[in-house]
Amino acid sequence: MVDKLLEVEDLRTSFFTYAGEVKAVRGVSLHVNKGEAVGIVGESGCGKSVTALSIMRLIPSPPGKIVTGSVSLYGKDLLKLPIKAMQKIRGKEMGMIFQDPMTSLNPVLSIGQQIGEVLAFHEGLKGKDAANRSVELLKMVGIPSPEERLRQYPHHFSGGMRQRVMIAMALACSPKLLIADEPTTALDVTIQAQIIELMNDLRERLDTSIILITHDLGVVAKLCTRVIVMYAGQIIEQGSTDEIFYNPKHPYTMGLLKSVPRLDEIEKRKLVPIAGHPPDLISSLKGCAFNPRCEYAMKICLRETPEIMDVGPDHKARCWLINKERANEDDVIQGQKNVK
């Protein structure tokens, strides 16, 4: 029997602005099993990071608010916990690697002070005990001369080294769940490969579950066993990595795969970008959110929002194309030029 570490049900998060309510996350339901690495992919603004921040309860309020839903860690609903109880879980049972390590690290505190703060709050370690544990953590993430590095500041580190420090801080208390939000952004491909290899090694060694948020499908293929595709604040497809890469069912997923280069293909092909732009999440969306950009759009796509449906073992998609009863030939619109 597979143990579910994290379960998210019908999560909805909005930002209330002067222009109106921005529905950034619209009914997301997902789970992460113990020891599993799950990738969340999609364009910028599709709700990936807001979903992660909602799970960690780090949505700034105001203007943000988790409107409804549940986030359960080992059966405990985190959204119902008092703030102080949640603070003990963050960093202890759940760790997070933020997008930009330079802005996430405090520039006026040494690396040793910043890692030591985590250890003092959650483990009660101070002085030499905290320093020794900090050295172990820096060694674990592959930082050379860790004793000297503890006394240095973030600006003394390269981008890749700062990211390793962020990983060390996130893993300081051996959390059961690690959320990595774009951990390889702005890093060169060599350092990217090192970071992904490091995370994979730590997952196997510490049995830590990972949620990897990224737009880099190559990184997902390297690390993750399951993939969740998001668009306009919703999950539009999810399944095993092999299913998503080799048997995608949603036109948006197909578009993502066509827009990235493939090194395993013998014949060269032209990359095809997805036409158009993501929808405005302030306005009320009617029908399928992807219909203005979809070359397979049907009349029903303009009228009704599809539910997420099973298309195979542990493979689901939110698209009218897979519902044979509702999507008949009379509904088909031949290309976006004829969409009315």
Side-chain angles (χ1 to χ4, degrees):
M1 182 178 178
V2 178
D3 290 333
K4 289 185 179 179
L5 176 68
L6 178 77
E7 286 189 273
V8 178
E9 291 291 337
D10 195 29
L11 181 66
R12 298 176 186 271
T13 302
S14 294
F15 293 89
F16 296 88
T17 69
Y18 291 109
E21 180 185 356
V22 180
K23 297 179 180 179
V25 176
R26 305 185 299 131
V28 165
S29 297
L30 59 88
H31 72 274
V32 180
N33 298 323
K34 186 177 179 181
E36 183 183 33
V38 177
I40 301 180
V41 302
E43 294 170 293
S44 297
C46 68
K48 306 185 302 293
S49 294
V50 176
T51 297
L53 293 173
S54 298
I55 291 171
M56 296 290 290
R57 282 184 64 182
L58 290 174
I59 296 294
S61 178
K65 181 181 179 182
I66 299 174
V67 179
T68 187
S70 65
V71 178
S72 299
L73 186 70
Y74 277 137
K76 183 191 300 180
D77 192 347
L78 303 182
L79 301 185
K80 294 181 180 179
L81 293 180
I83 293 299
K84 287 189 176 180
M86 191 64 204
Q87 288 174 345
K88 292 181 180 179
I89 289 176
R90 282 196 296 258
K92 177 70 173 177
E93 297 182 47
M94 296 194 302
M96 186 164 182
I97 306 170
F98 295 94
Q99 285 191 27
D100 187 354
M102 192 59 201
T103 56
S104 300
L105 293 169
N106 192 325
V108 299
L109 294 179
S110 69
I111 297 302
Q113 288 175 300
Q114 296 187 58
I115 299 177
E117 186 178 24
V118 178
L119 296 171
F121 184 83
H122 291 292
E123 303 289 344
L125 298 179
K126 296 181 180 180
K128 288 186 177 180
D129 291 335
N132 290 337
R133 175 59 178 156
S134 298
V135 168
E136 290 177 9
L137 289 166
L138 293 184
K139 282 182 179 178
M140 183 174 65
V141 297
I143 292 181
S145 306
E147 294 85 356
E148 298 176 15
R149 290 294 198 172
L150 282 183
R151 297 188 292 271
Q152 295 181 335
Y153 292 81
H155 67 270
H156 291 126
F157 290 70
S158 66
M161 286 298 182
R162 285 195 294 267
Q163 195 62 282
R164 288 172 185 266
V165 171
M166 287 295 299
I167 294 173
M169 291 177 64
L171 294 173
C173 302
S174 301
K176 294 301 180 183
L177 176 65
L178 177 65
I179 301 176
D181 190 359
E182 301 281 8
T184 59
T185 298
L187 302 179
D188 63 64
V189 290
T190 304
I191 302 301
Q192 281 186 20
Q194 292 175 3
I195 295 297
I196 293 305
E197 186 178 351
L198 169 64
M199 292 178 63
N200 202 29
D201 176 63
L202 294 172
R203 179 178 66 87
E204 294 176 355
R205 217 168 357 126
L206 304 177
D207 198 28
T208 299
S209 300
I210 296 175
I211 296 178
L212 174 66
I213 297 170
T214 183
H215 59 267
D216 191 331
L217 295 175
V219 172
V220 170
K222 182 74 173 178
L223 181 66
C224 301
T225 55
R226 196 155 50 86
V227 183
I228 293 171
V229 184
M230 289 191 67
Y231 184 79
Q234 291 183 317
I235 293 175
I236 54 96
E237 188 165 4
Q238 59 180 313
S240 68
T241 303
D242 286 345
E243 279 289 307
I244 295 298
F245 275 77
Y246 297 107
N247 189 29
K249 295 299 184 182
H250 198 286
Y252 178 66
T253 308
M254 298 175 192
L256 287 179
L257 293 170
K258 288 178 183 177
S259 64
V260 295
R262 293 280 296 271
L263 299 179
D264 59 346
E265 291 183 340
I266 298 176
E267 295 183 5
K268 293 183 179 180
R269 62 178 175 85
K270 185 178 180 180
L271 299 182
V272 182
I274 302 175
H277 302 279
D280 182 358
L281 296 181
I282 292 181
S283 60
S284 179
L285 300 179
K286 186 177 180 180
C288 173
F290 188 60
N291 77 68
R293 308 172 70 186
C294 182
E295 61 181 309
Y296 306 105
M298 301 175 291
K299 293 176 183 177
I300 193 173
C301 302
L302 312 183
R303 300 192 308 265
E304 300 180 38
T305 302
E307 297 293 327
I308 195 157
M309 293 169 273
D310 291 321
V311 292
D314 201 27
H315 188 181
K316 299 179 179 182
R318 188 187 298 274
C319 182
W320 286 119
L321 287 173
I322 61 177
N323 190 327
K324 303 300 183 183
E325 295 180 1
R326 301 295 304 276
N328 54 59
E329 291 184 1
D330 294 334
D331 283 327
V332 175
I333 297 173
Q334 299 298 328
Q336 281 294 314
K337 291 182 180 180
N338 296 324
V339 173
K340 297 181 180 179

